[in-house]
Amino acid sequence: EFWERLLQSGPDRRTLPPVISLVVHHGRGGWSAPRSVHEMVEGLDQYPVLRAYVPNLMMLVDDLALVDPPVLQARLLPPVPNVATWLLRDGRHVDELFTNMDEWKEDLGRVVVESPDEALVFLSYISRTATERDYREVLRIIIDCIPAAEAPLATIEEQIKQEGRLQGRQEGRQEGRQEGLEAGRVEALRDVLRMLIEQRFGPLSPAHDALIAVAVADDLERGIARVAVAPDLASLFQRR
């Protein structure tokens, strides 16, 4: 698709630039699907001479669930994408999130001070994943690690109160609590996707913002993983 658009804009071209397919995957079990076209074509193992005549494409897979914390830390990303990467890796389960927090809490502290809008998105996402332990304990751990996060967390807590989710926790309505937390997690994913898109492509159009507003969690997570490699917004929102 990228090559087609390139040829349409420059019909006199006789060569094409390289295109590398990179998938950022953060599923717990790791990537298990094929990584090349040849892996999906029957008969190539039986008749290897055919390989030279069947187009192939290899994908690079960044399997975050299988990357050890020291290796991830060694990537030396700027604070905002570094924290986003850690949240993609560990954000589904709050215990894992806090187990590795020493590796990235300094960058989260920098984001809180230097990029308050992004910090609010990240801290909101962390707070709303608190399904395995008491919400107050989550607040205490974050503030102990990052004192500068106390004010943003107070703002997030007020938002949760207004939405009725905190009241559901206090009343012990487990079902309502889970539904509220899931709704909050989806909304936080929407905020993260909007932020990443605007950083790369500029302001969102009303049409694309409307697509994000109705997207479900799986679509939002795929969108977050694809922002860095999508050539344009059209391909980012295209269903596969």
Side-chain angles (χ1 to χ4, degrees):
E1 184 179 330
F2 168 72
W3 281 339
E4 289 177 357
R5 291 197 303 271
L6 195 64
L7 291 173
Q8 289 173 359
S9 62
D12 294 333
R13 290 185 66 101
R14 293 295 179 266
T15 59
L16 295 169
V19 175
I20 298 174
S21 299
L22 171 64
V23 176
V24 179
H25 182 256
H26 58 107
R28 286 180 60 83
W31 182 268
S32 59
R35 301 189 182 211
S36 72
V37 174
H38 277 189
E39 291 179 66
M40 297 183 288
V41 177
E42 297 178 0
L44 296 184
D45 290 334
Q46 185 177 2
Y47 304 104
V49 69
L50 297 178
R51 289 180 175 272
Y53 305 101
V54 177
N56 193 24
L57 175 67
M58 295 285 295
M59 281 194 313
L60 289 174
V61 179
D62 187 8
D63 226 338
L64 295 180
L66 305 182
V67 179
D68 291 332
V71 176
L72 195 59
Q73 188 68 16
R75 293 183 177 184
L76 300 177
L77 295 172
V80 170
N82 186 40
V83 173
T85 300
W86 281 99
L87 289 180
L88 283 173
R89 181 184 185 274
D90 296 336
R92 288 188 179 92
H93 298 275
V94 73
D95 288 330
E96 294 178 10
L97 196 67
F98 289 111
T99 295
N100 295 315
M101 195 164 192
D102 283 344
E103 303 288 346
W104 53 276
K105 67 182 182 182
E106 181 177 347
D107 270 355
L108 180 57
R110 286 184 58 188
V111 174
V112 168
V113 174
E114 300 170 5
S115 306
D117 291 342
E118 287 81 357
L120 190 61
V121 172
F122 290 153
L123 292 172
S124 176
Y125 181 79
I126 293 172
S127 297
R128 296 172 195 269
T129 60
T131 56
E132 293 98 341
R133 68 174 70 190
D134 181 77
Y135 178 69
R136 293 294 171 187
E137 179 69 5
V138 173
L139 295 184
R140 185 192 66 77
I141 292 174
I142 295 177
I143 294 170
D144 284 350
C145 291
I146 310 163
E150 185 168 6
L153 282 172
T155 301
I156 294 165
E157 184 176 4
E158 183 59 31
Q159 291 175 347
I160 295 174
K161 284 181 179 179
Q162 291 174 359
E163 295 163 0
R165 299 186 183 103
L166 189 59
Q167 181 180 358
R169 292 191 185 94
Q170 294 169 344
E171 293 176 356
R173 298 201 301 261
Q174 184 65 20
E175 183 177 352
R177 176 177 182 274
Q178 296 292 343
E179 290 177 357
L181 286 168
E182 178 61 20
R185 186 179 81 88
V186 171
E187 194 57 40
L189 286 171
R190 290 190 178 109
D191 289 340
V192 170
L193 183 55
R194 288 186 180 105
M195 177 192 70
L196 294 176
I197 287 174
E198 289 179 351
Q199 284 185 341
R200 180 156 188 223
F201 297 109
L204 273 170
S205 69
H208 287 136
D209 193 60
L211 289 174
I212 293 175
V214 299
V216 298
D218 288 346
D219 290 338
L220 293 167
E221 289 177 344
R222 279 194 294 270
I224 289 169
R226 290 169 56 192
V227 167
V229 296
D232 51 40
L233 279 177
S235 61
L236 179 64
F237 286 97
Q238 183 179 8
R239 286 190 172 273
R240 294 180 182 259

mmCIF file of all heavy atoms in Angstrom, residues 169-193:
data_model
loop_
_atom_site.group_PDB
_atom_site.id
_atom_site.type_symbol
_atom_site.label_atom_id
_atom_site.label_comp_id
_atom_site.label_asym_id
_atom_site.label_seq_id
_atom_site.Cartn_x
_atom_site.Cartn_y
_atom_site.Cartn_z
ATOM 1 N N ARG A 169 -16.295 0.775 44.732
ATOM 2 C CA ARG A 169 -15.279 0.061 45.504
ATOM 3 C C ARG A 169 -15.624 0.076 46.991
ATOM 4 O O ARG A 169 -15.553 -0.939 47.680
ATOM 5 C CB ARG A 169 -13.906 0.713 45.307
ATOM 6 C CG ARG A 169 -13.313 0.586 43.919
ATOM 7 C CD ARG A 169 -11.847 1.038 43.945
ATOM 8 N NE ARG A 169 -11.299 1.029 42.606
ATOM 9 C CZ ARG A 169 -11.272 2.083 41.813
ATOM 10 N NH1 ARG A 169 -11.774 3.219 42.230
ATOM 11 N NH2 ARG A 169 -10.766 2.009 40.610
ATOM 12 N N GLN A 170 -15.969 1.271 47.521
ATOM 13 C CA GLN A 170 -16.218 1.424 48.950
ATOM 14 C C GLN A 170 -17.413 0.595 49.396
ATOM 15 O O GLN A 170 -17.456 0.109 50.524
ATOM 16 C CB GLN A 170 -16.428 2.905 49.275
ATOM 17 C CG GLN A 170 -15.172 3.750 49.068
ATOM 18 C CD GLN A 170 -15.447 5.232 49.123
ATOM 19 O OE1 GLN A 170 -16.593 5.661 49.016
ATOM 20 N NE2 GLN A 170 -14.405 6.026 49.292
ATOM 21 N N GLU A 171 -18.399 0.434 48.554
ATOM 22 C CA GLU A 171 -19.599 -0.327 48.903
ATOM 23 C C GLU A 171 -19.418 -1.828 48.693
ATOM 24 O O GLU A 171 -20.300 -2.625 48.992
ATOM 25 C CB GLU A 171 -20.783 0.163 48.068
ATOM 26 C CG GLU A 171 -21.187 1.590 48.410
ATOM 27 C CD GLU A 171 -22.291 2.105 47.503
ATOM 28 O OE1 GLU A 171 -22.676 1.370 46.569
ATOM 29 O OE2 GLU A 171 -22.758 3.224 47.735
ATOM 30 N N GLY A 172 -18.256 -2.194 48.157
ATOM 31 C CA GLY A 172 -17.963 -3.614 47.989
ATOM 32 C C GLY A 172 -18.735 -4.268 46.867
ATOM 33 O O GLY A 172 -18.870 -5.495 46.837
ATOM 34 N N ARG A 173 -19.228 -3.489 45.913
ATOM 35 C CA ARG A 173 -19.968 -4.080 44.804
ATOM 36 C C ARG A 173 -18.942 -4.535 43.769
ATOM 37 O O ARG A 173 -18.551 -3.774 42.889
ATOM 38 C CB ARG A 173 -20.941 -3.062 44.215
ATOM 39 C CG ARG A 173 -22.000 -2.597 45.202
ATOM 40 C CD ARG A 173 -23.197 -2.022 44.456
ATOM 41 N NE ARG A 173 -22.805 -0.909 43.623
ATOM 42 C CZ ARG A 173 -22.956 0.366 43.988
ATOM 43 N NH1 ARG A 173 -23.471 0.656 45.164
ATOM 44 N NH2 ARG A 173 -22.592 1.334 43.181
ATOM 45 N N GLN A 174 -18.519 -5.777 43.906
ATOM 46 C CA GLN A 174 -17.425 -6.267 43.085
ATOM 47 C C GLN A 174 -17.732 -6.185 41.595
ATOM 48 O O GLN A 174 -16.902 -5.773 40.793
ATOM 49 C CB GLN A 174 -17.114 -7.728 43.460
ATOM 50 C CG GLN A 174 -15.924 -8.317 42.730
ATOM 51 C CD GLN A 174 -14.632 -7.632 43.107
ATOM 52 O OE1 GLN A 174 -14.541 -6.988 44.142
ATOM 53 N NE2 GLN A 174 -13.626 -7.757 42.256
ATOM 54 N N GLU A 175 -18.941 -6.534 41.218
ATOM 55 C CA GLU A 175 -19.271 -6.519 39.795
ATOM 56 C C GLU A 175 -19.224 -5.099 39.248
ATOM 57 O O GLU A 175 -18.650 -4.851 38.182
ATOM 58 C CB GLU A 175 -20.662 -7.115 39.568
ATOM 59 C CG GLU A 175 -21.043 -7.187 38.097
ATOM 60 C CD GLU A 175 -22.389 -7.845 37.884
ATOM 61 O OE1 GLU A 175 -22.948 -8.386 38.869
ATOM 62 O OE2 GLU A 175 -22.881 -7.811 36.748
ATOM 63 N N GLY A 176 -19.822 -4.174 39.975
ATOM 64 C CA GLY A 176 -19.788 -2.786 39.533
ATOM 65 C C GLY A 176 -18.380 -2.235 39.512
ATOM 66 O O GLY A 176 -18.008 -1.449 38.634
ATOM 67 N N ARG A 177 -17.563 -2.679 40.472
ATOM 68 C CA ARG A 177 -16.172 -2.226 40.536
ATOM 69 C C ARG A 177 -15.397 -2.678 39.301
ATOM 70 O O ARG A 177 -14.684 -1.901 38.680
ATOM 71 C CB ARG A 177 -15.520 -2.794 41.789
ATOM 72 C CG ARG A 177 -14.032 -2.480 41.939
ATOM 73 C CD ARG A 177 -13.543 -3.042 43.264
ATOM 74 N NE ARG A 177 -12.154 -2.739 43.484
ATOM 75 C CZ ARG A 177 -11.141 -3.472 43.045
ATOM 76 N NH1 ARG A 177 -11.393 -4.555 42.343
ATOM 77 N NH2 ARG A 177 -9.898 -3.141 43.290
ATOM 78 N N GLN A 178 -15.565 -3.958 38.944
ATOM 79 C CA GLN A 178 -14.854 -4.476 37.782
ATOM 80 C C GLN A 178 -15.295 -3.775 36.500
ATOM 81 O O GLN A 178 -14.475 -3.424 35.655
ATOM 82 C CB GLN A 178 -15.089 -5.994 37.660
ATOM 83 C CG GLN A 178 -14.523 -6.810 38.819
ATOM 84 C CD GLN A 178 -13.008 -6.794 38.848
ATOM 85 O OE1 GLN A 178 -12.384 -6.453 37.849
ATOM 86 N NE2 GLN A 178 -12.419 -7.149 39.969
ATOM 87 N N GLU A 179 -16.607 -3.571 36.359
ATOM 88 C CA GLU A 179 -17.102 -2.897 35.158
ATOM 89 C C GLU A 179 -16.594 -1.469 35.096
ATOM 90 O O GLU A 179 -16.201 -0.975 34.027
ATOM 91 C CB GLU A 179 -18.629 -2.917 35.146
ATOM 92 C CG GLU A 179 -19.214 -4.312 34.913
ATOM 93 C CD GLU A 179 -20.728 -4.300 34.978
ATOM 94 O OE1 GLU A 179 -21.293 -3.225 35.263
ATOM 95 O OE2 GLU A 179 -21.349 -5.360 34.757
ATOM 96 N N GLY A 180 -16.605 -0.798 36.247
ATOM 97 C CA GLY A 180 -16.113 0.579 36.269
ATOM 98 C C GLY A 180 -14.638 0.667 35.950
ATOM 99 O O GLY A 180 -14.196 1.543 35.199
ATOM 100 N N LEU A 181 -13.839 -0.247 36.511
ATOM 101 C CA LEU A 181 -12.406 -0.248 36.239
ATOM 102 C C LEU A 181 -12.127 -0.539 34.770
ATOM 103 O O LEU A 181 -11.243 0.068 34.160
ATOM 104 C CB LEU A 181 -11.714 -1.283 37.125
ATOM 105 C CG LEU A 181 -11.572 -0.911 38.605
ATOM 106 C CD1 LEU A 181 -11.137 -2.115 39.414
ATOM 107 C CD2 LEU A 181 -10.578 0.230 38.776
ATOM 108 N N GLU A 182 -12.872 -1.468 34.191
ATOM 109 C CA GLU A 182 -12.662 -1.795 32.781
ATOM 110 C C GLU A 182 -13.024 -0.607 31.894
ATOM 111 O O GLU A 182 -12.306 -0.283 30.944
ATOM 112 C CB GLU A 182 -13.488 -3.022 32.382
ATOM 113 C CG GLU A 182 -13.359 -3.405 30.904
ATOM 114 C CD GLU A 182 -11.941 -3.751 30.495
ATOM 115 O OE1 GLU A 182 -11.121 -4.060 31.377
ATOM 116 O OE2 GLU A 182 -11.661 -3.702 29.282
ATOM 117 N N ALA A 183 -14.130 0.055 32.244
ATOM 118 C CA ALA A 183 -14.504 1.250 31.470
ATOM 119 C C ALA A 183 -13.429 2.318 31.597
ATOM 120 O O ALA A 183 -13.088 3.007 30.625
ATOM 121 C CB ALA A 183 -15.857 1.776 31.953
ATOM 122 N N GLY A 184 -12.879 2.460 32.810
ATOM 123 C CA GLY A 184 -11.805 3.437 33.003
ATOM 124 C C GLY A 184 -10.549 3.065 32.244
ATOM 125 O O GLY A 184 -9.859 3.937 31.700
ATOM 126 N N ARG A 185 -10.231 1.762 32.201
ATOM 127 C CA ARG A 185 -9.055 1.322 31.459
ATOM 128 C C ARG A 185 -9.203 1.621 29.971
ATOM 129 O O ARG A 185 -8.260 2.088 29.316
ATOM 130 C CB ARG A 185 -8.841 -0.183 31.672
ATOM 131 C CG ARG A 185 -7.554 -0.713 31.057
ATOM 132 C CD ARG A 185 -7.395 -2.197 31.338
ATOM 133 N NE ARG A 185 -8.182 -2.991 30.422
ATOM 134 C CZ ARG A 185 -7.742 -3.413 29.233
ATOM 135 N NH1 ARG A 185 -6.538 -3.088 28.808
ATOM 136 N NH2 ARG A 185 -8.514 -4.150 28.441
ATOM 137 N N VAL A 186 -10.401 1.379 29.431
ATOM 138 C CA VAL A 186 -10.634 1.657 28.017
ATOM 139 C C VAL A 186 -10.499 3.150 27.735
ATOM 140 O O VAL A 186 -9.906 3.561 26.731
ATOM 141 C CB VAL A 186 -12.021 1.141 27.592
ATOM 142 C CG1 VAL A 186 -12.368 1.606 26.184
ATOM 143 C CG2 VAL A 186 -12.064 -0.380 27.650
ATOM 144 N N GLU A 187 -11.038 3.968 28.629
ATOM 145 C CA GLU A 187 -10.935 5.417 28.427
ATOM 146 C C GLU A 187 -9.479 5.874 28.496
ATOM 147 O O GLU A 187 -9.049 6.760 27.740
ATOM 148 C CB GLU A 187 -11.765 6.157 29.485
ATOM 149 C CG GLU A 187 -11.991 7.622 29.167
ATOM 150 C CD GLU A 187 -12.669 7.842 27.816
ATOM 151 O OE1 GLU A 187 -13.578 7.071 27.465
ATOM 152 O OE2 GLU A 187 -12.257 8.782 27.109
ATOM 153 N N ALA A 188 -8.708 5.267 29.412
ATOM 154 C CA ALA A 188 -7.290 5.605 29.498
ATOM 155 C C ALA A 188 -6.555 5.193 28.224
ATOM 156 O O ALA A 188 -5.669 5.913 27.744
ATOM 157 C CB ALA A 188 -6.661 4.938 30.717
ATOM 158 N N LEU A 189 -6.901 4.030 27.647
ATOM 159 C CA LEU A 189 -6.308 3.607 26.379
ATOM 160 C C LEU A 189 -6.633 4.610 25.278
ATOM 161 O O LEU A 189 -5.784 4.913 24.429
ATOM 162 C CB LEU A 189 -6.820 2.222 25.991
ATOM 163 C CG LEU A 189 -6.273 1.028 26.786
ATOM 164 C CD1 LEU A 189 -7.041 -0.238 26.432
ATOM 165 C CD2 LEU A 189 -4.792 0.831 26.525
ATOM 166 N N ARG A 190 -7.863 5.113 25.273
ATOM 167 C CA ARG A 190 -8.222 6.127 24.272
ATOM 168 C C ARG A 190 -7.337 7.362 24.418
ATOM 169 O O ARG A 190 -6.862 7.925 23.432
ATOM 170 C CB ARG A 190 -9.698 6.509 24.421
ATOM 171 C CG ARG A 190 -10.669 5.408 24.012
ATOM 172 C CD ARG A 190 -12.101 5.907 23.942
ATOM 173 N NE ARG A 190 -12.998 4.836 23.504
ATOM 174 C CZ ARG A 190 -13.874 4.230 24.286
ATOM 175 N NH1 ARG A 190 -14.005 4.607 25.556
ATOM 176 N NH2 ARG A 190 -14.635 3.260 23.818
ATOM 177 N N ASP A 191 -7.122 7.789 25.660
ATOM 178 C CA ASP A 191 -6.287 8.971 25.894
ATOM 179 C C ASP A 191 -4.857 8.737 25.419
ATOM 180 O O ASP A 191 -4.237 9.619 24.814
ATOM 181 C CB ASP A 191 -6.289 9.331 27.384
ATOM 182 C CG ASP A 191 -7.625 9.888 27.843
ATOM 183 O OD1 ASP A 191 -8.405 10.350 26.982
ATOM 184 O OD2 ASP A 191 -7.894 9.867 29.066
ATOM 185 N N VAL A 192 -4.315 7.532 25.706
ATOM 186 C CA VAL A 192 -2.952 7.214 25.277
ATOM 187 C C VAL A 192 -2.858 7.216 23.754
ATOM 188 O O VAL A 192 -1.921 7.780 23.175
ATOM 189 C CB VAL A 192 -2.518 5.840 25.845
ATOM 190 C CG1 VAL A 192 -1.201 5.393 25.207
ATOM 191 C CG2 VAL A 192 -2.375 5.913 27.357
ATOM 192 N N LEU A 193 -3.837 6.614 23.073
ATOM 193 C CA LEU A 193 -3.802 6.559 21.608
ATOM 194 C C LEU A 193 -3.911 7.962 21.022
ATOM 195 O O LEU A 193 -3.175 8.302 20.080
ATOM 196 C CB LEU A 193 -4.941 5.677 21.090
ATOM 197 C CG LEU A 193 -4.991 5.478 19.564
ATOM 198 C CD1 LEU A 193 -3.672 4.938 19.044
ATOM 199 C CD2 LEU A 193 -6.132 4.546 19.188
#
